[in-house]
Amino acid sequence: MTTAVVLIATLFAGGALAGDGIRERGAPALATPTQLSAKQRADIARTLVRRWAADAREHGGDVDQWAVKLGRFIGTADAVNVLRATTMPTYNTMMGVLQGQPADSTSIRKALSQAATTGKSLGSTIADTTYTPLPNGRCRVADSRVIASPIAAATSRGIDTEDLGSYAIQGGNGTFANGDGSTNCGIPSFATALAVSVTVLSTGSEGFFKIYENGKAYQTGSTVYFTGTVSASNDVVVTSCQACAVELSVYSSATAHYVIDVVGYFMPPQATQFDCVNTSVASFTIAANSTNFFNNPNCPTGYQPVTPYCWTASSGVYSQGSGYNANVAGNATFCAWNNTTASSQTTFGGNVCCRVPGR
């Protein structure tokens, strides 16, 4: 595999890419644009597909289906992650940073080190993943009883979990909150692994049932043993084929019905916007011919001050700066003023306060 790096053209200061395309050249420092146009995202997706199609095939995927999935993901992914993905020298590192894997994480650095010495990385770089329960709880993605189609003995069958308008073709019905399974229950594209509940209902024989990553041998999967009269169930974590149109597969040694529910997924932490609020605006009186500073209103509990804002409508009153006052309870910010007039004047101050969502 070549070590050429696909990179983005010069960035506008405002955050969008210059021009409409991308080109190959030496590696500059990446800027951090706030947005990418739909055309720019499409150009990046096409370039990544051309470059990594062979690697996607090596990972057991259907290239055409992988390309569709990749294009859909890039269409809405964080812009910084999209740009960073174009600089990665291997398929695994590209997929890792595209999904939010920090470029300085141990797994990415290890993969890059391997690529520098061997020309390719070994294994997956998606190691630093986070578990997320589905927003509406358990999602039924397949039920062979509903479609009257038990899996035959010694055969395998694909189970699609992502990017579906409905699970009805597999006998699934989504979540209770979604009703008829009209959405994919919140399972994102390119999930690293899925937390799955599997129930097997024997049709009269005993045997074993496997659930595993599509494209792999069924022997690698998790096992549920069943008898001719007693149903069996198990809760397992299954890696998901990121380069496949259908993410999971099942295999049964004997004819059996099955029910498969997804309860959560694993992915690298995703870039998330801060949750920010403005405090109330406080007014302050500064004496004539004086310099003074005033602490702004404290942030709500759980929020931290990010930016103080200070202003006045009084002529002859000048800002002396603003900052963070670590000596005041509540981590207040302050505004400093110089009143050059012969009478007292009014100034105003407040805070922009932010927190990481969910904290």
Side-chain angles (χ1 to χ4, degrees), residues 48 59 66 69-70 73-74 76-86 88 91-103 105 108 124-130 162 188-193 240-243 265-272:
L48 293 178
H59 281 71
W66 169 76
K69 183 184 291 189
L70 184 73
F73 190 83
I74 288 176
T76 58
D78 177 78
V80 174
N81 292 343
V82 170
L83 293 181
R84 187 173 288 124
T86 66
M88 292 294 107
Y91 171 84
N92 282 324
T93 54
M94 182 276 292
M95 291 297 296
V97 299
L98 179 62
Q99 295 175 81
Q101 187 91 353
S105 66
I108 293 290
S124 174
T125 62
I126 316 299
D128 305 323
T129 56
T130 299
E162 299 175 7
S189 296
F190 296 117
T192 304
S240 176
C241 182
Q242 297 185 331
Y265 60 89
F266 292 82
M267 284 191 76
Q270 300 298 292
T272 306

Side-chain angles (χ1 to χ4, degrees), residues 19-225:
D20 289 324
I22 59 181
R23 57 195 173 95
E24 295 187 7
R25 60 187 178 88
L30 276 178
T32 54
T34 57
Q35 62 181 12
L36 293 171
S37 71
K39 187 177 188 308
Q40 289 160 351
R41 289 176 182 270
D43 287 341
I44 292 171
R46 283 192 292 270
T47 301
L48 293 178
V49 167
R50 285 195 300 268
R51 185 178 184 201
W52 299 115
D55 293 77
R57 188 177 294 108
E58 288 180 6
H59 281 71
D62 179 289
V63 171
D64 291 337
Q65 294 295 333
W66 169 76
V68 171
K69 183 184 291 189
L70 184 73
R72 185 183 296 115
F73 190 83
I74 288 176
T76 58
D78 177 78
V80 174
N81 292 343
V82 170
L83 293 181
R84 187 173 288 124
T86 66
T87 71
M88 292 294 107
T90 69
Y91 171 84
N92 282 324
T93 54
M94 182 276 292
M95 291 297 296
V97 299
L98 179 62
Q99 295 175 81
Q101 187 91 353
D104 61 349
S105 66
T106 300
S107 53
I108 293 290
R109 286 190 284 107
K110 181 179 179 180
L112 291 174
S113 177
Q114 291 172 342
T117 57
T118 67
K120 65 187 301 182
S121 62
L122 306 175
S124 174
T125 62
I126 316 299
D128 305 323
T129 56
T130 299
Y131 175 71
T132 303
L134 293 186
N136 295 313
R138 184 179 295 263
C139 175
R140 181 146 298 176
V141 297
D143 187 337
S144 65
R145 300 169 302 174
V146 174
I147 56 176
S149 178
I151 187 171
T155 63
S156 59
R157 179 178 293 178
I159 303 295
D160 203 348
T161 60
E162 299 175 7
D163 305 315
L164 280 178
S166 172
Y167 293 110
I169 193 172
Q170 300 176 155
N173 62 358
T175 65
F176 178 78
N178 291 331
D180 62 357
S182 58
T183 71
N184 76 343
C185 305
I187 303 171
S189 296
F190 296 117
T192 304
L194 300 170
V196 180
S197 177
V198 182
T199 300
V200 183
L201 305 99
S202 173
T203 56
S205 302
E206 64 179 27
F208 64 88
F209 184 92
K210 293 276 192 177
I211 184 166
Y212 54 99
E213 178 183 343
N214 190 22
K216 298 292 181 67
Y218 75 82
Q219 291 91 341
T220 65
S222 299
T223 304
V224 178
Y225 294 98

